[in-house]
Amino acid sequence: MFFDKIRRYLLPVAIFSLLYGGLNFLLSGLVLPGADFTTFRPQLLIPVVFGLVVNPWVGGIIAMAGNFFGDFLLDYGLYFWPWSIANFFIGFIPGMVAWWGIRNIKKVNEFIMVLVFVFLGNAIAMFIGFTTHVMLHGDATLLYVLRTFYVPGVISNSYILMLLLPPVLVLLKYLKLNIETRAMFLFLLFSLGVLTIVVAAVFWSQFNSLTNLIANQRIENGYDVLQQMIAHLFNWIGVALLVILIAAGSLGYYFSNRFMKPVMQLAEAANLLKQGQWEEKSRISIPRVNDEMTSLIQLFNNMATEVYQREARMSSEIEQLKLSIDKKKEDKIVKEITETDFFRKLEEKSNKIRKGKNR
Amino acid sequence: MAAIVSIHSYRGGTGKSNLTANIAYQLASTGKRVAVIDTDIQSPGIHVIFNVQQDANLPCLNDYLWRKCEIEEAVVEVDVTMAEGMNKLFLIPSSTNTGDIARIINDGYNVELLSEGFERLCEKLSLDFLLIDTHPGLNEETLLSIAVSDKLLVILRPDQQDFEGSSITLRVASRLQVEHIAVVINKIPASLNLEALKGDVESAYGHPVAAMFPHSDDLMLLGSKEVFSKRYPGHQFTREITTLSNYISQV
Ligand SMILES: Nc1ncnc2c1ncn2[C@@H]1O[C@H](COP(=O)(O)OP(=O)(O)OP(=O)(O)O)[C@@H](O)[C@H]1O
Ligand SMILES: [Mg+2]
């Protein structure tokens, strides 16, 4: 069953595994100074995107095979094999959103779900990687490793993915931009950009003063201090990421409720009206906030009601009036009018006129 | 030879004045020479639609009936912006002065003068059409107007009382040997079947229905302040006015 899932994609799997591994090799130097495991790995995009766009298996296999290949290039051989297994989940877990029917992102909650699964993929993969590594090699306590390497690692991966993944998904048309997803997308991009600048500035100043201290032998254990400083920094980045995600999601939900929902309701109601299926009960409920959108909804409701009533009038069984004449009463009135002297004279006169005209 | 056309309804408020004004405008815009005379002395109204200001110093129909002036002196030119090829439109208004109205109701006047006035107007203004906007009911001046008319339009609404009243008018008009008698149905509710209504009315009266006007909110909203067909040339109401005007100039 797993092979079924990737058979059709063998060629891309091969190519992108090689690319992933190759980038692991090339970008292995992209390590935060002093932090062994907190590398910036934009190549993570490859398995994540394949996991989302194609299917989880393809994403997982690319990450796993690619990692083996990268280790081979880096001359690690099979020493870090648990890491390659762990990498599988980086590509696999995000792709799992398809199991909940998410084949592309059109709504805020789908957007959030994808980001959360991307995060989970990294968190789980790296947890597996670190625990098996500690179990196999036992060169440090698990708690120390998790605190010092795991948390910053997960955060750096999540960070780079949150920054790079949405634009790529837009290009691939997996993320469909509409009112709500656009709001969330732009907010994410903007706030992550700001975060990057802030983090770079903080890191730069801290790192410089710290390396000075270390170089001047003013503190012992310089390496540990640096590690802690970086772990600390990453904790803050993690908090910032969480805040940004929540804010972006809230903004998306706000836009969804305030604009997207009424727009969709208007479109739906317009469609009903077009098909002649609009009814009084299809009136859109007026939002409590009073703004242009509210006016538009009111306008539409009124217009639809009018069109509806007009149509009902036209199509309702065309009625027929029953009019009658009371002959006796009428005879009496006619007699009263015609039996006066005035009327007799008038008759004569009109007679004369008619004759005159005929002449 | 001028044609005298009476526009009448048994009951008030059927739309006589508005229809008269619109027919007059329509006929004039096809190059006919048209005058409208407001014989509704008791409650004049058509000058409002034509936007004619009443001037106490100028003679009007009342002055003629009191022999204070000749009928042609009471003529005013209606100032409707002329379309190309459109003829002048004349109006002989009645006084809106309450004293004048009371006097004419109490003292009466020589009704004969009215018919002489019609003839003289036709001649002096070399008219094609003289349209008479009448007072509702069958009082003497209305009967006289009908008697001297070549054509009579009886306006009614789809309403039992209008229906009965119009029947009386039509029978009286037949006795007076009016040559062309036609019925116009106005203010028809949108839900009524026009064809069935037309059939019913024609078979009940034995006279043709020359035009049928649905009730129009647009017309209502204009509030008799303007000639509707001038303001709304493409409107359904205006098209029906054209039909009616053609009917009048052809029969
Ligand atoms: N087809 C129509 N649809 C809607 N309203 C109409 C229609 N025809 C006339 N009306 C309205 O009916 C009212 C009476 O019209 P109008 O004054 O022309 O009637 P009338 O017969 O001359 O009345 P009166 O008997 O008082 O002289 C006006 O408010 C006019 O706008
Ligand atoms: Mg009137």
Side-chain angles (χ1 to χ4, degrees):
Chain A
M1 106 124 188
F2 133 76
F3 194 68
D4 278 352
K5 295 274 182 195
I6 58 169
R7 185 168 41 208
R8 286 175 49 205
Y9 305 101
L10 276 182
L11 190 64
V13 165
I15 293 172
F16 282 94
S17 299
L18 293 180
L19 185 62
Y20 182 68
L23 287 171
N24 269 357
F25 170 69
L26 289 175
L27 302 179
S28 62
L30 217 58
V31 183
L32 273 188
D36 288 350
F37 280 95
T38 43
T39 49
F40 281 116
R41 304 174 68 208
Q43 64 269 37
L44 287 173
L45 275 176
I46 294 170
V48 171
V49 165
F50 272 89
L52 286 171
V53 177
V54 183
N55 68 51
W57 295 99
V58 170
I61 292 297
I62 287 177
M64 186 169 72
N67 203 67
F68 274 124
F69 178 61
D71 282 2
F72 166 76
L73 292 178
L74 287 161
D75 231 2
Y76 294 157
L78 291 177
Y79 181 75
F80 286 117
W81 67 266
W83 277 105
S84 296
I85 305 289
N87 256 273
F88 175 82
F89 294 97
I90 291 180
F92 188 85
I93 290 177
M96 280 164 55
V97 294
W99 300 353
W100 285 274
I102 300 179
R103 310 230 160 256
N104 50 44
I105 300 171
K106 289 190 295 284
K107 295 195 184 112
V108 190
N109 52 0
E110 293 167 345
F111 203 161
I112 293 173
M113 180 120 157
V114 166
L115 292 181
V116 167
F117 269 70
V118 168
F119 166 79
L120 283 180
N122 277 287
I124 291 171
M126 295 186 81
F127 187 77
I128 292 172
F130 277 115
T131 45
T132 48
H133 185 88
V134 169
M135 269 163 17
L136 287 177
H137 305 286
D139 44 10
T141 67
L142 185 59
L143 204 63
Y144 172 78
V145 169
L146 289 184
R147 274 239 303 276
T148 322
F149 303 110
Y150 172 72
V151 172
V154 171
I155 290 172
S156 72
N157 280 1
S158 305
Y159 171 63
I160 201 90
L161 282 172
M162 255 169 90
L163 185 65
L164 298 181
L165 186 61
V168 172
L169 292 182
V170 169
L171 288 179
L172 292 174
K173 302 210 161 65
Y174 181 90
L175 170 53
K176 316 264 186 211
L177 290 182
N178 53 38
I179 295 174
E180 52 182 90
T181 56
R182 192 184 301 264
M184 184 167 163
F185 171 71
L186 292 177
F187 182 81
L188 267 184
L189 219 57
F190 173 76
S191 40
L192 288 172
V194 171
L195 180 68
T196 306
I197 294 167
V198 171
V199 165
V202 169
F203 184 81
W204 196 245
S205 65
Q206 295 280 326
F207 183 74
N208 276 344
S209 58
L210 206 57
T211 41
N212 275 340
L213 288 177
I214 293 169
N216 299 337
Q217 311 264 307
R218 300 269 289 278
I219 49 173
E220 294 168 29
N221 247 349
Y223 176 77
D224 283 346
V225 173
L226 196 59
Q227 283 297 316
Q228 267 166 21
M229 191 269 282
I230 285 169
H232 201 63
L233 187 67
F234 269 89
N235 286 343
W236 280 111
I237 295 178
V239 171
L241 285 186
L242 197 65
V243 169
I244 287 172
L245 187 64
I246 290 170
S250 312
L251 190 77
Y253 272 118
Y254 174 75
F255 271 78
S256 165
N257 274 321
R258 241 4 249 112
F259 303 105
M260 192 75 180
K261 194 171 120 213
V263 166
M264 298 310 278
Q265 284 175 324
L266 280 171
E268 194 188 333
N271 200 31
L272 284 179
L273 194 63
K274 180 180 149 221
Q275 295 168 347
Q277 287 168 352
W278 194 91
E279 294 173 340
E280 291 280 356
K281 68 168 194 280
S282 328
R283 285 177 77 98
I284 303 166
S285 51
I286 309 287
R288 225 172 304 138
V289 190
N290 194 13
D291 63 4
E292 290 83 354
M293 187 59 89
T294 315
S295 318
L296 182 64
I297 291 174
Q298 265 163 341
L299 196 66
F300 183 88
N301 278 343
N302 293 346
M303 183 196 80
T305 309
E306 235 168 75
V307 171
Y308 171 75
Q309 285 172 351
R310 200 176 306 157
E311 278 212 350
R313 242 184 291 144
M314 304 227 277
S315 65
S316 74
E317 273 243 80
I318 305 176
E319 294 166 52
Q320 209 173 329
L321 264 190
K322 276 280 150 269
L323 300 168
S324 60
I325 294 171
D326 180 347
K327 206 79 184 127
K328 266 195 205 141
K329 200 170 113 196
E330 188 182 297
D331 285 345
K332 199 172 145 246
I333 299 172
V334 172
K335 217 165 156 186
E336 274 167 18
I337 295 170
T338 53
E339 287 188 351
T340 58
D341 283 347
F342 176 78
F343 194 81
R344 279 199 205 97
K345 262 190 252 160
L346 212 56
E347 262 185 310
E348 273 167 38
K349 181 187 174 81
S350 82
N351 235 329
K352 239 189 281 166
I353 295 173
R354 312 292 173 211
K355 280 195 185 121
K357 284 211 169 159
N358 284 346
R359 201 168 1 100
Chain B
M1 185 95 201
I4 300 178
V5 185
S6 278
I7 292 102
H8 180 256
S9 65
Y10 192 78
R11 295 207 299 153
T14 51
K16 288 183 298 296
S17 299
N18 274 283
L19 290 176
T20 306
N22 279 282
I23 294 166
Y25 177 81
Q26 192 60 44
L27 287 172
S29 63
T30 53
K32 299 285 196 294
R33 290 180 64 84
V34 185
V36 176
I37 181 162
D38 192 355
T39 63
D40 191 353
I41 307 171
Q42 301 180 21
S43 51
I46 197 164
H47 62 278
V48 180
I49 305 173
F50 283 134
N51 240 318
V52 170
Q53 309 296 328
Q54 292 240 341
D55 184 339
N57 299 320
L58 289 179
C60 56
L61 183 62
N62 305 54
D63 299 294
Y64 164 70
L65 295 175
W66 290 321
R67 298 177 196 275
K68 283 196 205 155
C69 68
E70 292 296 342
I71 184 89
E72 62 268 25
E73 291 173 59
V75 172
V76 287
E77 247 176 55
V78 174
D79 181 30
V80 281
T81 318
M82 298 293 166
E84 199 159 343
M86 182 164 177
N87 242 320
K88 281 178 187 164
L89 193 53
F90 303 105
L91 174 69
I92 300 87
S94 286
S95 171
T96 49
N97 181 304
T98 41
D100 290 349
I101 293 174
R103 189 178 145 199
I104 212 133
I105 291 174
N106 293 330
D107 302 355
Y109 59 93
N110 185 354
V111 180
E112 281 297 309
L113 273 178
L114 208 51
S115 63
E116 282 164 29
F118 295 161
E119 300 227 334
R120 196 176 161 101
L121 273 175
C122 292
E123 201 184 298
K124 290 277 174 195
L125 298 174
S126 28
L127 294 177
D128 293 315
F129 291 98
L130 175 64
L131 305 185
I132 307 176
D133 185 15
T134 62
H135 184 68
L138 290 172
N139 61 14
E140 290 192 353
E141 60 259 34
T142 300
L143 285 171
L144 179 103
S145 301
I146 293 173
V148 300
S149 287
D150 304 293
K151 300 171 189 187
L152 169 66
L153 294 182
V154 173
I155 320 286
L156 68 122
R157 294 159 295 201
D159 167 283
Q160 179 64 30
Q161 279 179 283
D162 278 19
F163 192 63
E164 288 176 0
S166 302
S167 178
I168 295 167
T169 309
L170 289 165
R171 281 176 61 180
V172 170
S174 297
R175 288 275 296 267
L176 294 173
Q177 300 169 49
V178 179
E179 217 178 328
H180 300 288
I181 300 176
V183 177
V184 171
I185 312 176
N186 191 17
K187 301 192 182 180
I188 305 170
S191 59
L192 273 193
N193 182 332
L194 294 182
E195 280 309 307
L197 181 62
K198 183 173 179 179
D200 284 355
V201 170
E202 286 184 341
S203 66
Y205 292 158
H207 291 289
V209 171
M212 304 177 92
F213 296 92
H215 175 91
S216 158
D217 279 352
D218 297 331
L219 175 58
M220 190 108 216
L221 285 173
L222 198 59
S224 299
K225 282 195 295 248
E226 242 178 286
V227 179
F228 184 88
S229 47
K230 184 188 161 202
R231 173 74 170 270
Y232 299 101
H235 199 279
Q236 186 198 4
F237 179 90
T238 305
R239 285 202 298 273
E240 195 65 3
I241 284 288
T242 311
T243 308
L244 185 52
S245 307
N246 290 342
Y247 176 87
I248 292 169
S249 45
Q250 274 155 23
V251 293

